[in-house]
Amino acid sequence: MILQGLSPHPSSIFYYLKMVSLLLPNLSSPISRLTLLWRPSLQLTFKATSKFQLHNKSVKPEWFKSFSACNLPMVANDNLVVLGIETSCDDTAAAVVNSHGEILSQVISSQAELLARYGGVAPKMAEEAHALVIDQVVQEALDKANLTERDLTAVAVTIGPGLSLCLRIGVRKARKVAGSHNLPLVGVHHMEAHTLVARLVERELQFPFMALLVSGGHNLLILARDLGDYIQLGTTIDDAIGEAYDKTAKWLGLDLRRSGGPAVEELAREGDAKSVNFKVPMKQHKDCNFSYAGLKTQVRLAIEAKRINAEISLASASDEERQARADIAASFQRVAVLHLEEKCERAIEWALNIEPSINHLVVSGGVASNKYVRARLDEVVNRKGLKLVCPPPSLCTDNGVMVAWTGIEHFRLGRFDPPPPANELEDAVLDLRPRWPLGEEYAEGKSEARSMRTARMHPSLTSLIKASIKLESQSAI
Ligand code: KG4
Ligand code: ZN
């Protein structure tokens, strides 16, 4: 899945995948497009896996037996132990999780000081910070789990969407660990990981279900029909809610060291949420898309009108000024979340029309750790007769557990890459997917307000998986 730009040998699986990618009408060019998450044919699975040794002895027999016994996706083994690595934005995270859903370790190194200094994520600084700590974070995750690389079944790593410079650090490290210990590799979609971690937390959570994913860069409403099969009901036409929280915190002069969201949430508790009359975005659009750029501007103007000086920290502000800031924080939060509530309500109706058996709405991503967000969405979900599944805050914000768990889910279906070369060149071309949709847009949900830039956009995860399944069934005939 994360291949070097080398010409594969005709007998290798890469050659097969290259041929496959050339045959697909919509996935014409680089081989890396198809090779991320594929479900190999039985024969190919055998060929690919027999080329390398799986260290975890318990994996091999059942796994091989199951794959050769039937044609369907299956849970072949229950003793998988996967290392997950996440570096798509500003947190360097690693974790070890097993296929029973036990979190054996979890380590996160956050770039809080950098965030506070630059008032946001500066890609080059973030890259350097990742590079500085990645070895230590991964080693600590293994140590805390009381394991060595030899005990792992596979390595999972986020390959997109995210900042290329940052993704590269995690992918390099994952390939190094996998290459030196002959381990298969699973390339993970960051937003799918935010979604699937809910299945680790809530064992009852079966497909199909709905998910609202709210983070610093994404605002997605999706219908998860199956593993790797997602319909995008709505997305943001500009900014995500987390970005609006972060800017509000910055302009209000709050302490950004824990990121903006928690600071605004805390201050909002002291404020009057009806004191500033912000307009709820996109009221006139009867779709499930979001917009937070206009609300950000409304907040900035309100802050200017009240002559709030962000240079003066909250701790040094007068009582009166503190109250003014708290009122803005509370009013912003009320309207930002009302926007989520309205769109979620409509999305649930749409989703139930498509899949009447849906029982759950997952809310995940950094903003889902907000108590007010959880409480308000819980009411919406209850009104609609569904159940809310919200991972604990430590699994809502970026973490390695969600990556390891998503790796396990896909690995069970045979969607992984064979180990990379043990001595990979430093300048190997990596398959990174900074702009990578999770699923195809729901046709009825296409918004005229949306002017999506599609340049350099990767084919969606769902379309890649569907294409590889189709091809596999064709080759089986
Ligand atoms: O998922 P995440 O950790 O990273 C991205 O993939 O973006 O989300 C980070 C975002 C930031 O914008 C942060 O301010 C926001 O989540 N966030 C919160 C809270 N905790 C984190 N927003 C509101 N309330 C919170 N308690
Ligand atoms: Zn995230």
Side-chain angles (χ1 to χ4, degrees), residues 86 88 190-191 194 215-216 365-366 396-398 402:
E86 157 63 42
S88 66
H190 182 80
M191 300 315 288
H194 271 308
S215 67
C396 277
T397 46
D398 289 352
M402 66 184 197

mmCIF file of all heavy atoms in Angstrom, residues 86 88 190-191 194 215-216 365-366 396-398 402, ligand 2:
data_model
loop_
_atom_site.group_PDB
_atom_site.id
_atom_site.type_symbol
_atom_site.label_atom_id
_atom_site.label_comp_id
_atom_site.label_asym_id
_atom_site.label_seq_id
_atom_site.Cartn_x
_atom_site.Cartn_y
_atom_site.Cartn_z
ATOM 1 N N GLU A 86 0.198 7.190 14.614
ATOM 2 C CA GLU A 86 -0.599 8.313 14.103
ATOM 3 C C GLU A 86 0.230 9.595 14.172
ATOM 4 O O GLU A 86 0.679 9.995 15.255
ATOM 5 C CB GLU A 86 -1.870 8.423 14.974
ATOM 6 C CG GLU A 86 -2.562 9.772 15.019
ATOM 7 C CD GLU A 86 -3.098 10.245 13.683
ATOM 8 O OE1 GLU A 86 -3.672 9.425 12.943
ATOM 9 O OE2 GLU A 86 -2.936 11.436 13.370
ATOM 10 N N SER A 88 -0.785 12.393 11.737
ATOM 11 C CA SER A 88 -1.345 13.150 10.613
ATOM 12 C C SER A 88 -1.421 14.655 10.860
ATOM 13 O O SER A 88 -1.511 15.438 9.934
ATOM 14 C CB SER A 88 -2.737 12.624 10.259
ATOM 15 O OG SER A 88 -3.627 12.886 11.314
ATOM 16 N N HIS A 190 -7.470 8.230 8.399
ATOM 17 C CA HIS A 190 -7.607 8.870 9.707
ATOM 18 C C HIS A 190 -9.078 8.987 10.154
ATOM 19 O O HIS A 190 -9.399 8.723 11.322
ATOM 20 C CB HIS A 190 -6.966 10.264 9.629
ATOM 21 C CG HIS A 190 -6.981 11.038 10.907
ATOM 22 N ND1 HIS A 190 -6.069 10.832 11.913
ATOM 23 C CD2 HIS A 190 -7.810 12.012 11.351
ATOM 24 C CE1 HIS A 190 -6.330 11.650 12.911
ATOM 25 N NE2 HIS A 190 -7.386 12.383 12.605
ATOM 26 N N MET A 191 -9.965 9.367 9.241
ATOM 27 C CA MET A 191 -11.365 9.565 9.643
ATOM 28 C C MET A 191 -12.084 8.236 9.847
ATOM 29 O O MET A 191 -12.994 8.132 10.671
ATOM 30 C CB MET A 191 -12.105 10.446 8.621
ATOM 31 C CG MET A 191 -11.509 11.823 8.440
ATOM 32 S SD MET A 191 -11.070 12.667 9.989
ATOM 33 C CE MET A 191 -12.675 13.090 10.651
ATOM 34 N N HIS A 194 -11.203 7.345 13.357
ATOM 35 C CA HIS A 194 -12.051 8.045 14.341
ATOM 36 C C HIS A 194 -13.407 7.347 14.455
ATOM 37 O O HIS A 194 -14.014 7.326 15.522
ATOM 38 C CB HIS A 194 -12.288 9.495 13.896
ATOM 39 C CG HIS A 194 -11.236 10.476 14.377
ATOM 40 N ND1 HIS A 194 -10.865 10.586 15.685
ATOM 41 C CD2 HIS A 194 -10.510 11.398 13.694
ATOM 42 C CE1 HIS A 194 -9.940 11.542 15.810
ATOM 43 N NE2 HIS A 194 -9.705 12.039 14.612
ATOM 44 N N SER A 215 -13.710 17.364 13.978
ATOM 45 C CA SER A 215 -12.332 17.581 14.443
ATOM 46 C C SER A 215 -11.853 18.939 13.984
ATOM 47 O O SER A 215 -12.657 19.808 13.618
ATOM 48 C CB SER A 215 -11.441 16.460 13.914
ATOM 49 O OG SER A 215 -11.340 16.561 12.517
ATOM 50 N N GLY A 216 -10.530 19.126 13.996
ATOM 51 C CA GLY A 216 -9.979 20.420 13.601
ATOM 52 C C GLY A 216 -10.085 20.665 12.108
ATOM 53 O O GLY A 216 -10.261 21.799 11.655
ATOM 54 N N GLY A 365 -13.996 12.173 17.018
ATOM 55 C CA GLY A 365 -13.124 13.284 16.602
ATOM 56 C C GLY A 365 -12.954 14.205 17.810
ATOM 57 O O GLY A 365 -13.773 14.156 18.757
ATOM 58 N N GLY A 366 -11.922 15.037 17.785
ATOM 59 C CA GLY A 366 -11.568 15.862 18.944
ATOM 60 C C GLY A 366 -12.729 16.601 19.594
ATOM 61 O O GLY A 366 -12.865 16.606 20.823
ATOM 62 N N CYS A 396 -11.339 10.110 21.520
ATOM 63 C CA CYS A 396 -11.963 11.020 20.539
ATOM 64 C C CYS A 396 -10.899 11.866 19.859
ATOM 65 O O CYS A 396 -10.916 12.060 18.645
ATOM 66 C CB CYS A 396 -12.959 11.952 21.239
ATOM 67 S SG CYS A 396 -14.568 11.216 21.485
ATOM 68 N N THR A 397 -9.983 12.420 20.657
ATOM 69 C CA THR A 397 -8.894 13.201 20.063
ATOM 70 C C THR A 397 -7.912 12.220 19.418
ATOM 71 O O THR A 397 -7.967 11.014 19.665
ATOM 72 C CB THR A 397 -8.174 14.043 21.148
ATOM 73 O OG1 THR A 397 -7.943 13.206 22.271
ATOM 74 C CG2 THR A 397 -9.005 15.225 21.593
ATOM 75 N N ASP A 398 -7.016 12.745 18.591
ATOM 76 C CA ASP A 398 -6.123 11.866 17.830
ATOM 77 C C ASP A 398 -5.337 10.932 18.759
ATOM 78 O O ASP A 398 -4.820 11.369 19.790
ATOM 79 C CB ASP A 398 -5.150 12.710 16.996
ATOM 80 C CG ASP A 398 -5.874 13.387 15.846
ATOM 81 O OD1 ASP A 398 -7.062 13.079 15.629
ATOM 82 O OD2 ASP A 398 -5.246 14.222 15.164
ATOM 83 N N MET A 402 -6.951 4.138 17.892
ATOM 84 C CA MET A 402 -7.919 4.075 16.780
ATOM 85 C C MET A 402 -7.252 3.551 15.502
ATOM 86 O O MET A 402 -7.883 2.861 14.701
ATOM 87 C CB MET A 402 -8.579 5.444 16.549
ATOM 88 C CG MET A 402 -7.657 6.542 16.062
ATOM 89 S SD MET A 402 -8.542 8.123 15.949
ATOM 90 C CE MET A 402 -7.424 9.068 14.905
HETATM 91 ZN ZN ZN B 2 -8.371 13.562 14.076
#
